[in-house]
Amino acid sequence: MKLIELGCDQRSFHSISFNSEGLTLIVGDGASEKKKEGSSNGVGKTLALGLVHHCLGANSDPLLKQAVPDWMFRLTFSSHQKEHTIERSGDGKRIYLDGKSVSHKGLRSWLDKAGAFRLEPTIPATTFRALVKRFGRYLREDCIDPLRMAREPDFDARLRSLYLLGLDCSLVLSKKLHKVELDSVKQTLRTWQHDNILQNLFRAGAQPKVR
């Protein structure tokens, strides 16, 4: 997948054209004088990344929904030498894929099948949304750990990282399966220890019958 342009139906929005080769950098100047404090905040780096995620099927952003619910944002990109356009309103309710209306669920399903990632049905927790977030870390918390995203379970983090590296995921899946089975046994044991009715039924059934 290669990004081509991020735009909007509002003239006040400055479209971003991504370089066809190499990197596209969004930078800002700090304070003009070295002695003065300043930063490049407000240039639009975070907003641009958030809008890319917005068009690529992320959950609706409450701030974007409140500020510009009717604005239509547009992301043009290419996948397997074919160009596509996704348009989505600020409130996230109206979505168009190549000019045709589509639901949020339908867009995500299409992205899973579009070929940006070679998804394997046998490997759980690997979807387009789950994987693409690792390449565009929008939240500050996403940048703390190189393997784990914000609020991401450890198992999912390891599995997705191994998958993207092209490594064997079978051991991780096997470990997860054994962990589920062990938790089930532990839960059964806890239930038995605290359920007097089950204990009494077992004891009654275990007593020898007198003839």
Side-chain angles (χ1 to χ4, degrees), residues 25-198:
L25 302 178
I26 302 177
V27 298
D29 294 330
S32 58
E33 298 181 17
K34 294 183 179 180
K35 295 182 179 180
K36 293 184 178 180
E37 295 183 358
S39 69
S40 58
N41 291 339
V43 174
K45 305 184 296 296
T46 303
L47 176 61
L49 179 59
L51 290 176
V52 169
H53 277 296
H54 183 69
C55 291
L56 290 179
N59 292 329
S60 299
D61 187 332
L63 295 178
L64 194 64
K65 181 179 180 179
Q66 181 180 5
V68 287
D70 297 326
W71 287 26
M72 289 297 298
F73 298 97
R74 178 182 64 258
L75 179 66
T76 304
F77 61 94
S78 63
S79 179
H80 295 280
Q81 309 302 320
K82 186 175 181 180
E83 191 171 303
H84 300 281
T85 299
I86 296 175
E87 300 171 89
R88 190 179 184 187
S89 59
D91 60 8
K93 296 180 179 180
R94 291 175 293 151
I95 306 175
Y96 298 92
L97 172 61
D98 294 333
K100 297 181 180 179
S101 178
V102 64
S103 66
H104 186 215
K105 182 178 180 180
L107 174 62
R108 286 192 170 191
S109 177
W110 182 86
L111 288 168
D112 286 341
K113 302 172 184 176
F117 301 104
R118 295 180 180 177
L119 302 180
E120 295 290 341
T122 57
I123 302 179
T126 53
T127 63
F128 173 86
R129 283 302 314 160
L131 298 177
V132 77
K133 289 191 293 185
R134 314 186 96 75
F135 295 91
R137 301 183 177 229
Y138 178 59
L139 300 176
R140 184 183 299 272
E141 295 80 2
D142 292 338
C143 304
I144 296 176
D145 191 312
L147 297 181
R148 186 173 178 272
M149 306 291 288
R151 299 183 295 276
E152 184 180 39
D154 290 337
F155 166 75
D156 291 348
R158 294 191 184 96
L159 181 64
R160 291 161 181 165
S161 297
L162 288 173
Y163 180 77
L164 288 174
L165 290 171
L167 301 178
D168 185 6
C169 299
S170 60
L171 291 179
V172 178
L173 292 171
S174 178
K175 182 178 180 180
K176 176 66 173 180
L177 178 60
H178 291 154
K179 178 66 166 56
V180 171
E181 292 176 348
L182 181 60
D183 290 343
S184 178
V185 172
K186 289 180 178 179
Q187 181 60 44
T188 301
L189 179 60
R190 284 194 294 268
T191 301
W192 163 257
Q193 291 174 339
H194 297 89
D195 195 321
N196 294 328
I197 297 177
L198 284 178

